[in-house]
Amino acid sequence: MSAQQLVLRQRAELVQALCCGGTAEPLDSVLDLLLSWSAFEWEDYLNVCCGTAKTLCSRSRELLDLAYSKGDDACCHLLTAFHQVLPDAQKDTLNFGSTYTAQKSQEGEISATLTLLGDRPGLVTKLRNSVDEALDELVQKGFLTSSECEDIQLPVHTASQQVRRLLDIVKFKGEGAAKVLLQFLQKSQIEAVPQPTNEKLIIPTSVAEYQKKLCSSISAQSHFLSTYSPTGRFSLDDVYTEGLLELGQQGCGNTTLVSVTLEDVVGATGTVNVEADTVLVSGEAGSGKSTFLQRLHQLWARKTVLQNYLLLFPFSCRKLNTEHRELSVKDLLFLHCCWPDGDQEELFQFLLDHPHTVLFTFDGLDEFKQAFADDQRHCSPTQSAKVPVLLFNLLQGSLMKGVRKLVTSRTEAVSFTLRPYLCKEVLLKGFSPDGIDCFVKKHHSDPGVASRVLQSLQSNTALLGLCHIPVFCWIVSKCYKELLGFSSTGPQTITDVYLMVLQHFFHRRISSGKTSGKSWLQEHFRTIMALGKLALQGLEHSHYIFSESDVQNLGITEEDIGKGFLIQNKNISLDTKHYEFLHLTLQCFFSALFITLDPSNNMHSIIPRLFQTPSSSMGCLGICHPRKCDQPGNEPPNHEITSMFVSGLLSPCHHSLLLQCCPIQTLQRKCKQVMKCLSKGMHNHFKSIPQPIKGEKKSMHAMPAFIWLIKCIYEMQDSELAKSVMAKLEAEHLKLTYCNIGPLECTALAFVLQHLKGPVGLQLDSNSVGDVGVEQLLPCLHVCRSLYLRHNNITDEGISKLVEKGVECEAFQKIALFNNKLTDACAQHFAYLLKTKQNFASLRLGNNNITAAGAEQLAEGLRCSPSLRFLGLWGNTVGDAGAEAIAHALEDSQTLEWLSLVDNRVGDAGAQALARVVEKSSTLKELWLNNNSITRCGVEYLLQALERNSTVTALWLTGNILSQEEVEELSIRESRVTF
Ligand code: ADP
């Protein structure tokens, strides 16, 4: 019988089923489901719901009639909805036919409004206990009025009905309101995500024994760092230094970077996709991803962290590259991680039954030979498949759903295809300044040596900038003797640092004291070239692990290996030896040496390929160049590092060294080639800048390749090249937001940008510039008309240096420092800036920690500024005293146009003082005072002042202490005020 017939035949029973309880809840729940499945249009829903005078029975009949008139499909949906909503006892007597299975919505962008509709039944349950909070949020964000709230909260409505009314109103308010509600839900949901608990879990003996074995194997594997020989004196415990971990961009305009701990990385914090199991830890090469994972493994094995995970399976993507067999997940786990001595079946069944107690980690997805793809489904944990298929299905969650997967990768290598399967992204940003300090002290047990190393870093800020990346910090610490031996500048570029480590390794091994009269490069030329060839061949085929025969075929001897650049990888096979470079960056460096020093023509053809810029259509975030299996030389992250080294080696600074082993013609030709590639790359970049819209500045948004090209130019240390490249840039504004810019990149940027033809706006918001980065930027401050450094971990110390230089830079007129780590101590510097620089126009210091004391200091400068037009202090705590000080200082300003003291605990006294600014000013256009504690009394001062002011166009006062009646009354009096 068709669904339509079933509805008709059972009409009376169905109506009865909906009405017998006397509440509208079953009917409303059925409607929720029909809406979410798109079986009913919004109009249908309103038809059934509208008219409060209708009885429950008449609404139920209308529902049935409507479904019937819509046809068989709608009736099938209706019966399914009844089946889901009615209690079992009521279902016995009804025939539901074959019920409809809800499909998961198609992938791709769907609007927030549609998401709310699709999730409606679930939302009713989820929001039931937090309607008031949700309403508050919507009111605060300006999407609901208080009378709409009161209407929703009428006590005649049940909590579920209140949610439904809320959802209905939000739908009509549109996308903005829907987004706010979704964000609210996400926040509250994340807070409520239950942590898997192992209480009451009965652990079979086979699992307990396996856990023990796994722990001891992981413990042994994680004891030493691979960059320190196992016989060395350092264990991971000795040298591990916490790196900076930050949650990735949350989308939806949330730009706050949140720091997280090691445990948070795996936990619920920062979850953006609750359906996904995979957490990504991303960072650049050498930022400490593998070491972080190693620490996590070690602490888990010691039962110090993540004890809700009974079993942890560590994988290395490098090693997975060497697995060519077809395997099942079960085989993969046992063969690659730890072989079970007990009952395999029972153990594996336990994993399947308790996925939430299991953690898989995959180190170095960027080194996996094949780029992530989601086109091949494989769901069976016991059926065999190729390793890439297994890995990709694990990450997607189609295999072993519920098991937490933690994967590390270089940021540039994360594909857009993978992103939808990520539960969250955590960025590993290397060491903080304190981290560098701590690392150096751990590395040198002699405090005297440690402090000399740190001193020499302080005097070479370019090198200090590099040390934020742990692998460079390690090299610098390792080569401390060479470092302390430098009389003047010391290493400046990454290439300098790697040349230093090369010499260090070679010298360390020269014990005989024999000197042949040759330079170190000549003496070790054969070894360097053999290792270089191995490195390059590896990169071209995504090989990071080399067999003994790979090594021998290139004439690499035991003695060469003994130099220490290659280390043995003991995890591949017990029978034969396998080697890898000490770190990927070292493999890239040896490749670069080979490319630079090998005289054959092949190397000339490699250079243009190496410097090929990716399509300029790609955005700065989530950059990806699709990798294809076995496609040689198609790995941008490796390309980028290698080409940087090639640029560095071809720098005029190193010509005399290289000429010892390379004919001058070859060197010159390659040098020319690289310079041409860099110029062309930058030029292409500039050409892609769109023409400005009329009235706007010509603005350049950085494409992924921009920072890389800048870094290559810096490595070359060729100011003439920088000058000639910059001569072609026409933009007036450079936007480099979210580009992963740390101190190292700042050094390179300043080296190049200082040659700009005229002043620009430099926008570096949401990067990791920090105080060291600020210092590195100073050489280009004279070409910055405005400098945007929002969200950049900058403290008062950085500001002190910035201002010291800033006062000397005529063009420098605007600075934005929203959301940094500034305190009252920064105010004296800004006061000095305002007093000294008589053309300074804009100071934005929102969301820092400035109190009344800071405001009072700042006022000293404000009073003397003949030019300040914009002052932003949103989200500080200056209070009444601070507002009064600022107001008094600005009373006679002839230039102030815009002032914000939003969210600053300003009360009536502050308002009264600010009213005098309004009254006296003939330039002020906007005054922002939302979210303060101003009452009617304070508002009166402001309104009276407005009566005598004709320049102000907007005064913002929402979120102050006013009743609804007061708002209504005051709104009529002055149209320029928004309450
Ligand atoms: P990535 O995996 O991001 O390329 P690694 O974890 O291999 O970087 O780090 C490279 C080197 O830097 C390590 O071998 C180690 O010497 C040093 N290092 C990285 N992170 C840390 C840390 N947290 N503490 C101490 N040393 C570290």
Side-chain angles (χ1 to χ4, degrees), residues 796-813:
D796 306 324
E797 214 179 302
I799 295 307
S800 142
K801 299 208 167 111
L802 184 82
V803 168
E804 200 182 313
K805 170 83 186 187
V807 291
E808 295 166 4
C809 301
E810 177 63 22
F812 176 52
Q813 292 178 5

Side-chain angles (χ1 to χ4, degrees), residues 225 227-228 239-241 243 284-291 431 439 470-471 474 583:
L225 260 174
T227 35
Y228 302 89
V239 288
Y240 187 78
T241 307
E284 58 189 278
S287 59
K289 301 177 295 293
S290 306
T291 312
F431 292 152
F439 178 84
V471 73
W474 163 69
H583 190 256

Side-chain angles (χ1 to χ4, degrees), residues 222-343:
S222 57
H223 190 69
F224 286 109
L225 260 174
S226 63
T227 35
Y228 302 89
S229 79
T231 50
R233 62 197 168 91
F234 292 112
S235 67
L236 186 60
D237 277 328
D238 290 332
V239 288
Y240 187 78
T241 307
E242 298 278 335
L244 288 169
L245 288 162
E246 276 174 6
L247 285 177
Q249 220 190 336
Q250 304 292 290
C252 315
N254 181 356
T255 48
T256 312
L257 300 170
V258 183
S259 299
V260 287
T261 63
L262 183 139
E263 278 209 88
D264 289 338
V265 170
V266 185
T269 312
T271 302
V272 286
N273 179 0
V274 275
E275 302 290 325
D277 302 322
T278 301
V279 175
L280 169 70
V281 174
S282 69
E284 58 189 278
S287 59
K289 301 177 295 293
S290 306
T291 312
F292 164 79
L293 217 48
Q294 194 175 332
R295 183 65 169 171
L296 187 135
H297 295 160
Q298 183 184 50
L299 295 180
W300 175 82
R302 278 187 195 156
K303 303 199 184 301
T304 316
V305 298
L306 302 173
Q307 286 310 291
N308 44 343
Y309 293 99
L310 288 175
L311 300 171
L312 186 155
F313 293 89
F315 293 96
S316 144
C317 291
R318 270 186 184 197
K319 188 177 165 198
L320 289 177
N321 276 337
T322 63
E323 179 58 84
H324 303 294
R325 291 170 290 185
E326 291 212 349
L327 297 173
S328 67
V329 172
K330 189 172 142 206
D331 298 336
L332 187 75
L333 293 180
F334 297 156
L335 285 172
H336 276 253
C337 295
C338 178
W339 187 255
D341 300 322
D343 186 342

Side-chain angles (χ1 to χ4, degrees), residues 712-731:
C712 289
I713 296 175
Y714 175 71
E715 288 294 314
M716 274 207 123
Q717 289 287 297
D718 190 335
S719 302
E720 287 307 313
L721 174 65
K723 212 179 278 176
S724 74
V725 163
M726 280 297 120
K728 299 188 188 111
L729 180 61
E730 299 289 342

